[in-house]
Amino acid sequence: MHRKQWIFDMDGTLTDSMTVVWQGAPLELLRRYGRTARPGIHDVLLSMGMVEGAEYLIRTYDLPLTLRDYEPAMRQVIRDLYKKVELKPGVREMLARLKAEGVRMCICSNTWAEQCEEVLTRLGVADYFEFFYTAQGAKSKAHPEVFHEVLERLGGSGPADAVVCEDAVYATRTARQCGFYLIDIEDETSAADKPELQRLADQYITDWTQLDWTKL
């Protein structure tokens, strides 16, 4: 295996947290303030950035929050929901094998870096990663320079000799544009994008036990 730098997404890729946390968080926040979500809330929020989504929830549901109040309130909701999250099948064994092969690994996630570290520490795998990178806003994974910056921090020579592991189609498109070797893993929240993910990925797997090591 010659690819010695691996860039991992966390939610939906290593952990089963997309439904539990990222679909569940707005509902739980509203519940804590005595509000009931309207039908289609997930579709509405998917089309928005984090700030726009916060403004929408505050305005639409008349939440007693300012934008400044919203972030700590939502972070607490997310932190609580992450306590229910587990690793996807085969993750622990896969990371141990990569470490034994001398691979350098990091997390590049929409989720705040400190939250990623907290979750993966609880699950016993945080020490496999060199660093945790928060990919939000101007530094989101829609921008190729983010992947290049992360690869440089890992000491990589070029995208073709590094691996990006994802479940989200927008980040997959960016990684493909950059020229990385691309592994996509199936997640129920990205089921509608499965045909494109299969087309873009070098390997498309349903869980980490299916990884073809001979191609790496």
Side-chain angles (χ1 to χ4, degrees):
M1 187 174 69
H2 75 273
R3 295 180 176 90
K4 297 296 187 182
Q5 294 83 36
W6 285 51
I7 300 167
F8 287 94
D9 173 57
M10 185 180 78
D11 298 293
T13 300
L14 297 178
T15 59
D16 62 356
S17 45
M18 285 301 295
T19 300
V20 174
V21 178
W22 293 106
Q23 287 192 0
L27 306 184
E28 177 61 17
L29 180 71
L30 293 176
R31 186 193 68 78
R32 292 185 183 190
Y33 287 96
R35 282 28 172 201
T36 301
R38 299 174 182 177
I41 186 174
H42 295 310
D43 293 334
V44 173
L45 292 174
L46 276 174
S47 67
M48 299 177 177
M50 295 187 74
V51 173
E52 189 182 4
E55 291 173 336
Y56 169 81
L57 290 175
I58 292 168
R59 180 181 66 253
T60 303
Y61 294 93
D62 192 28
L63 296 178
L65 297 170
T66 65
L67 273 179
R68 186 172 183 176
D69 300 328
Y70 177 89
E71 183 174 338
M74 181 57 91
R75 281 200 184 212
Q76 187 57 56
V77 168
I78 289 169
R79 186 174 293 112
D80 293 342
L81 290 175
Y82 265 122
K83 294 174 183 176
K84 305 175 184 179
V85 164
E86 298 296 335
L87 294 172
K88 287 196 165 187
V91 167
R92 211 176 296 277
E93 297 79 7
M94 177 265 298
L95 294 176
R97 180 167 176 177
L98 289 175
K99 186 72 171 181
E101 294 269 2
V103 170
R104 300 185 68 189
M105 296 172 271
C106 74
I107 296 292
C108 181
S109 173
N110 291 344
T111 301
W112 304 280
E114 61 270 24
Q115 182 66 71
C116 291
E117 186 170 8
E118 181 179 316
V119 172
L120 296 177
T121 297
R122 176 178 67 80
L123 295 171
V125 297
D127 288 345
Y128 287 114
F129 302 103
E130 304 267 333
F131 58 88
F132 302 83
Y133 185 99
T134 304
Q136 295 179 2
K139 292 282 190 176
S140 83
K141 288 182 281 186
H143 303 291
E145 55 267 26
V146 169
F147 284 109
H148 290 300
E149 178 184 340
V150 170
L151 178 60
E152 184 177 354
R153 286 183 62 180
L154 281 177
S157 57
D161 294 321
V163 179
V164 167
C165 303
E166 270 290 345
D167 70 301
V169 70
Y170 83 97
T172 295
R173 291 171 185 148
T174 309
R176 173 54 66 211
Q177 177 185 343
C178 293
F180 285 92
Y181 187 90
L182 188 57
I183 298 170
D184 275 335
I185 186 162
E186 187 171 274
D187 189 80
E188 61 180 293
T189 58
S190 56
D193 297 318
K194 183 175 179 177
E196 184 173 3
L197 291 169
Q198 288 178 312
R199 178 177 61 81
L200 291 171
D202 294 289
Q203 292 193 50
Y204 183 85
I205 56 178
T206 58
D207 67 58
W208 288 102
T209 64
Q210 296 183 335
L211 192 61
D212 186 346
W213 293 89
T214 65
K215 296 179 179 179
L216 301 171

